[in-house]
């Protein structure tokens, strides 16, 4: 999706703001998935839209820790949105999250489920 198109979406969809609000609550050293955020927001089938929101989060203020959102098995599937291929991994490793072959090590242990952690 083109960056300008993503910027246009952020101006028109409060869904992106809802996604960013959830992502901002992910604690340092923890990760969640696109699907977990979608499920929490009551749109279980919208994981792809959550991914678009993460890609567009460069336009969000305050900042969004998009590096803490990975796919359902812990893969750094959004790493292309960070400018350089290693940036997402570097940010996670700075928070003491170990990454091997683009995967979060101990994903199940580090997984933060907004449906369990946040009150609706």
């Amino acid at each position: 999706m083109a960056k300008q198109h993503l910027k246009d979406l952020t101006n028109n969809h409060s869904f992106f703001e809802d996604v960013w609000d959830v992502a901002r609550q992910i604690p340092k050293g923890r990760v969640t998935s696109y699907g977990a955020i979608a499920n929490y927001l009551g749109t279980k089938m919208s994981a792809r839209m959550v991914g678009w929101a993460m890609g567009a989060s460069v336009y969000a203020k305050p900042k969004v820790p998009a590096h803490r959102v990975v796919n359902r098995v812990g893969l750094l599937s959004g790493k292309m949105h960070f400018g350089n291929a290693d940036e997402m991994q570097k940010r996670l490793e700075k928070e003491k999250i170990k990454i091997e072959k683009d995967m979060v090590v101990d994903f199940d242990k580090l997984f933060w489920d907004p449906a369990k952690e946040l009150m609706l």
Side-chain angles (χ1 to χ4, degrees):
M1 187 173 280
K3 283 191 175 191
Q4 182 58 44
H5 184 64
L6 283 173
K7 190 172 183 178
D8 292 342
L9 285 173
T10 64
N11 293 330
N12 297 316
H13 292 82
S14 64
F15 179 77
F16 279 28
E17 289 288 344
D18 292 342
V19 168
W20 298 338
D21 287 343
V22 174
R24 287 182 185 112
Q25 297 178 66
I26 305 167
K28 286 183 180 180
R30 303 285 300 277
V31 293
T32 196
S33 68
Y34 306 104
I37 292 175
N39 183 54
Y40 173 76
L41 294 174
T43 59
K44 191 173 186 171
M45 302 304 289
S46 298
R48 181 166 288 161
M49 284 289 293
V50 172
W52 292 344
M54 290 295 97
S57 67
V58 297
Y59 304 108
K61 293 196 180 2
K63 290 183 178 183
V64 175
H67 62 284
R68 296 181 191 147
V69 184
V70 298
N71 83 355
R72 65 185 175 89
V73 296
L75 181 68
L76 309 187
S77 57
K79 70 181 190 172
M80 72 290 251
H81 296 288
F82 289 85
N84 95 41
D86 298 328
E87 185 61 27
M88 185 177 188
Q89 180 171 336
K90 286 177 184 177
R91 290 181 189 186
L92 290 168
E93 289 173 340
K94 187 175 181 180
E95 296 182 12
K96 309 294 187 225
I97 295 174
K98 187 174 180 182
I99 307 297
E100 289 181 1
K101 297 181 181 176
D102 290 336
M103 297 284 292
V104 174
V105 175
D106 293 327
F107 175 68
D108 292 337
K109 181 179 164 185
L110 299 173
F111 183 74
W112 181 83
D113 186 349
K116 293 178 182 174
E117 304 289 340
L118 302 175
M119 299 298 291
L120 287 175

